[in-house]
Amino acid sequence: MFPPFRILPSLLAADYGSLASEILRAQNAGADAIHLDIMDGHFVPNISFGPAVVSLAAKTAPDFHRNVHLMLTQPNRYVDVFAKAGADTLQIHVEAQCNVKDTLRAIRSAGMRAGLVLNPRTESGAALPYIEEGLVDELLYMSVYPGFGGQSFMDTPLPNIRFLRARYPELEIMIDGGINCQTLPLAAQAGCNAFVAGSALFKQPDMQAEIAAYRDILEHL
Ligand code: DX5
Ligand code: ZN
């Protein structure tokens, strides 16, 4: 069965002067989870925030699922740190410099869902060994090069997403980068069921209306 649609605001685009209320704003707007982008200044050319912000989200909104996207060269070193901070899903890049299988297993052993992320030009074949072995609870395709919010959507991963959806009808397939009212239907038609949106949601004064508009688009594809 095709998995349910999910909408995940990315906290990267929030107002950093009031992070706790921004987390609550996303939850009250009807989002399915909060997406937290962790950047190390090495795997990507930017530094964002660390486990303290995941803890803040856990304390502020305990029932709001925390979807944590690690853009780290060595994510294997931080699995337990993010488990303790309260991550519910931990996503690692297939391009990271670690043993990806062991790290996906470690994420589950620490009690979290395991996500595997592919950069826009990484072929879907790179994910197959991990999916086939049953190590992936969710697959995330980037539709921008990771590192910064507010970039334009790239359609490069769409053929790879179509391939994966045809092969795995029940797989959770998420997309991240440049998602808004215009690009959401393209991603959904390619087979995505989960959508991360940073600037398009947090820059809206009425996030609830924007999320409702997304759900309306998804219901009428
Ligand atoms: C990019 C991050 C994204 C980013 C999305 O490196 O992984 O989650 O916050 O931001 P928008 O939706 O503004 O492209
Ligand atoms: Zn992200």
Side-chain angles (χ1 to χ4, degrees):
M1 217 183 62
F2 190 85
F5 288 125
R6 293 200 296 143
I7 295 169
L8 300 89
S10 166
L11 196 66
L12 192 66
D15 173 0
Y16 284 54
S18 38
L19 277 183
S21 55
E22 288 286 75
I23 291 160
L24 291 171
R25 181 160 76 99
Q27 185 179 35
N28 295 332
D32 297 288
I34 187 83
H35 182 80
L36 297 121
D37 287 303
I38 315 294
M39 304 178 182
D40 66 356
H42 188 266
F43 184 75
V44 290
N46 193 14
I47 297 173
S48 57
F49 45 75
V53 173
V54 178
S55 298
L56 173 75
K59 213 168 83 180
T60 307
D63 302 331
F64 195 24
H65 189 102
R66 290 165 291 282
N67 180 267
V68 179
H69 176 189
L70 297 185
M71 285 157 273
L72 309 179
T73 302
Q74 296 185 302
N76 53 308
R77 294 172 55 200
Y78 298 93
V79 170
D80 291 336
V81 170
F82 282 97
K84 280 199 192 82
D88 294 300
T89 299
L90 201 59
Q91 303 175 326
I92 61 160
H93 273 258
V94 74
E95 303 88 359
Q97 287 168 28
C98 68
N99 184 315
V100 172
K101 280 191 184 176
D102 287 352
T103 309
L104 291 170
R105 286 193 193 101
I107 291 170
R108 280 197 182 153
S109 302
M112 298 173 285
R113 294 173 74 249
L116 186 64
V117 190
L118 281 71
N119 276 336
R121 290 192 206 283
T122 300
E123 289 297 329
S124 52
L128 294 186
Y130 310 103
I131 301 172
E132 290 293 326
E133 225 179 292
L135 299 174
V136 179
D137 294 309
E138 122 190 328
L139 186 123
L140 169 61
Y141 240 114
M142 296 305 301
S143 39
V144 298
Y145 273 102
F148 300 91
Q151 304 181 72
S152 303
F153 179 82
M154 298 167 64
D155 60 9
T156 325
L158 297 185
N160 281 302
I161 291 168
R162 262 183 226 107
F163 168 83
L164 288 170
R165 176 53 74 212
R167 191 165 167 142
Y168 305 106
E170 300 187 2
L171 181 65
E172 186 80 24
I173 305 182
M174 186 178 289
I175 192 159
D176 181 8
I179 293 295
N180 55 37
C181 277
Q182 281 74 46
T183 55
L184 178 81
L186 305 177
Q189 275 154 359
C192 295
N193 69 286
F195 309 88
V196 175
S199 20
L201 289 178
F202 272 103
K203 307 295 180 215
Q204 287 288 338
D206 189 347
M207 197 193 293
Q208 188 165 11
E210 189 71 4
I211 290 180
Y214 287 11
R215 294 206 196 277
D216 194 55
I217 291 171
L218 294 170
E219 274 164 29
H220 298 97
L221 282 175

